[in-house]
Amino acid sequence: MSLPQQLRDESDFDQLPDNIPVTATIADIEEKKGFIVYYRFVIEVKTKGNSKYLIYRRYRQFFTLHQSLELKYSAEAQPGYYTCQLPTLPGKVFMGNKKEIAESRIPELNNYMKRLLCLPTWVLLDDLIRMFFYQTELDSQQVPRALRRLRPPTRKVKTVKPKADLLSAPRAEAVFDFSGSGRLELSLKAGDVIFLLRRVNADWLEGTVRDKTGIFPESFVNIIKPLPESDSDEEGGASKSGNRAQSSYSCLRCYLLQPEGIDIRDICVEEDLSIQPSYKDLLSQMRGVFQVEDIALNYRDPEGDLIRILDDEDIAFMVQESKQTGSKVKRPVNQFPWELLVTHAKDLTVYNTEY
């Protein structure tokens, strides 16, 4: 690949376009409750043209970027080609508290990004780097919660909070006890008053009770004062303006098939509908949801036969197949186009073995 002569020297920094990132600093970390609980880094990016914006990246995205850059620019991978000395990325950590791991990575990742953005100008023009630091539409919709690492130290000032008008707030009363099955779900006691935040889908609401926020099934409560129409839009889920994007949920319908009947659950996670979860994460999630260890994951093919999932390749095939057939089935817009059918691992009678 031929590069313009004027961009091969670092002294020609002025030749770079204004939207090239020149500095990047981690402002905070955020916990996300997807198919697994993970932390992502909130990064403030400054460009050559002095604009600033925030992007949100997981460690795995740093790792993927670094692997791709090594294949392209390391002397070992491309002898005789344009090469450079890449900065060192902190390695994967498989054991320990996830929040502590994310916190400990901040100085190392800040140093990694600083050294990365000091590479020769022709490297900065690479699409791999530009896309990593590019603010996507999803990035722009996020609302940062604290940005504690960018916040200057200030004296604590005592403030008086105005009393909320609780009687005018959308709310519901729990009619039955409900035991939440995950971190996203609220546990309710009959008689609890839940202050409503928004509708997740046709069957689930998000609300607050006893200083805890989460989701719960509408069938367990009696609506005292409904949500405004804009927050009750079943098709939208999140606010149309996108200012709730950081708390939007996607729902997965899953079934436990057993001789005594079918147990149906809707699992809501903070994940984009386009995500392809790993087999390991889904298996762990289903074991927790149904409280059964010895299980197998399955999906139905277009002919209606049950197909057992064994690895990540099977997950990829299921997701791809759902894109081709999903348009034939009407679902809420925030529901995954694929569904999981969970069986006992040793039960082979659920499969069509006739030929």
Side-chain angles (χ1 to χ4, degrees), residues 38 40-41 56-68 89 112 131-132 136 139:
Y38 65 90
R40 65 180 184 177
F41 299 95
Y56 299 76
R57 300 292 182 265
R58 296 175 66 171
Y59 171 78
R60 66 170 59 172
Q61 292 172 283
F62 278 94
F63 189 81
T64 300
L65 170 68
H66 190 72
Q67 281 189 315
S68 300
L89 180 72
Y112 176 79
M131 292 307 298
F132 179 85
T136 65
D139 288 330

Side-chain angles (χ1 to χ4, degrees), residues 314-331:
D314 290 340
I315 296 288
F317 190 79
M318 173 188 70
V319 172
Q320 184 61 35
E321 201 167 72
S322 71
K323 292 178 181 178
Q324 300 171 1
T325 61
S327 59
K328 301 176 183 178
V329 181
K330 187 174 181 180
R331 293 188 177 92

Side-chain angles (χ1 to χ4, degrees), residues 238-254:
S239 165
K240 291 180 181 179
S241 65
N243 61 3
R244 291 182 185 263
Q246 81 280 5
S247 62
S248 61
Y249 300 101
S250 299
C251 296
L252 169 65
R253 177 150 294 183
C254 49

Side-chain angles (χ1 to χ4, degrees), residues 26-42 56-59 96-100 102-103 106 142-148 182-185 206 213 245-249 269-271:
I26 294 175
D28 209 344
I29 60 171
E30 288 186 353
E31 182 185 41
K32 301 296 288 183
K33 300 178 179 70
F35 289 105
I36 59 170
V37 175
Y38 65 90
Y39 285 84
R40 65 180 184 177
F41 299 95
V42 185
Y56 299 76
R57 300 292 182 265
R58 296 175 66 171
Y59 171 78
N97 180 281
K98 291 183 178 180
K99 184 176 182 179
E100 292 177 357
E103 290 278 8
I106 290 176
Q142 308 301 303
V143 178
R145 297 168 184 170
L147 300 186
R148 54 196 167 88
R183 295 191 183 189
L184 292 179
E185 297 181 8
E206 182 181 27
T213 299
Q246 81 280 5
S247 62
S248 61
Y249 300 101
V269 295
E270 290 182 291
E271 298 279 15

Side-chain angles (χ1 to χ4, degrees), residues 33-37 58 60 98 181 250-256 265-299 307-320 322 336-343:
K33 300 178 179 70
F35 289 105
I36 59 170
V37 175
R58 296 175 66 171
R60 66 170 59 172
K98 291 183 178 180
S181 62
S250 299
C251 296
L252 169 65
R253 177 150 294 183
C254 49
Y255 306 80
L256 176 62
R265 303 285 183 92
D266 281 326
I267 309 303
C268 295
V269 295
E270 290 182 291
E271 298 279 15
D272 188 75
L273 288 175
S274 62
I275 191 174
Q276 181 182 301
S278 72
Y279 170 75
K280 180 181 177 182
D281 291 347
L282 280 181
L283 185 63
S284 175
Q285 178 85 316
M286 292 302 106
R287 283 172 173 164
V289 168
F290 293 112
Q291 294 297 298
V292 181
E293 283 296 315
D294 194 19
I295 59 173
L297 305 184
N298 309 269
Y299 70 96
I307 307 297
R308 180 171 286 201
I309 300 170
L310 300 175
D311 52 31
D312 288 345
E313 288 188 12
D314 290 340
I315 296 288
F317 190 79
M318 173 188 70
V319 172
Q320 184 61 35
S322 71
F336 286 99
W338 44 274
E339 299 177 337
L340 280 182
L341 295 96
V342 180
T343 59

Side-chain angles (χ1 to χ4, degrees), residues 64-75:
T64 300
L65 170 68
H66 190 72
Q67 281 189 315
S68 300
L69 291 174
E70 280 190 325
L71 288 174
K72 199 166 186 180
Y73 293 116
S74 68

Side-chain angles (χ1 to χ4, degrees), residues 172-182 184-189 192 194 196 198-207 214-223 251 253 264-268:
E173 181 181 357
V175 182
F176 311 102
D177 291 352
F178 173 71
S179 180
S181 62
L184 292 179
E185 297 181 8
L186 279 181
S187 291
L188 305 175
K189 295 288 186 183
D192 281 348
I194 308 103
L196 306 178
R198 69 186 184 97
R199 177 174 293 282
V200 177
N201 62 16
D203 304 310
W204 288 74
L205 297 164
E206 182 181 27
I215 61 175
F216 58 92
E218 185 177 6
S219 57
F220 279 70
V221 302
N222 177 45
I223 303 295
C251 296
R253 177 150 294 183
I264 305 175
R265 303 285 183 92
D266 281 326
I267 309 303
C268 295

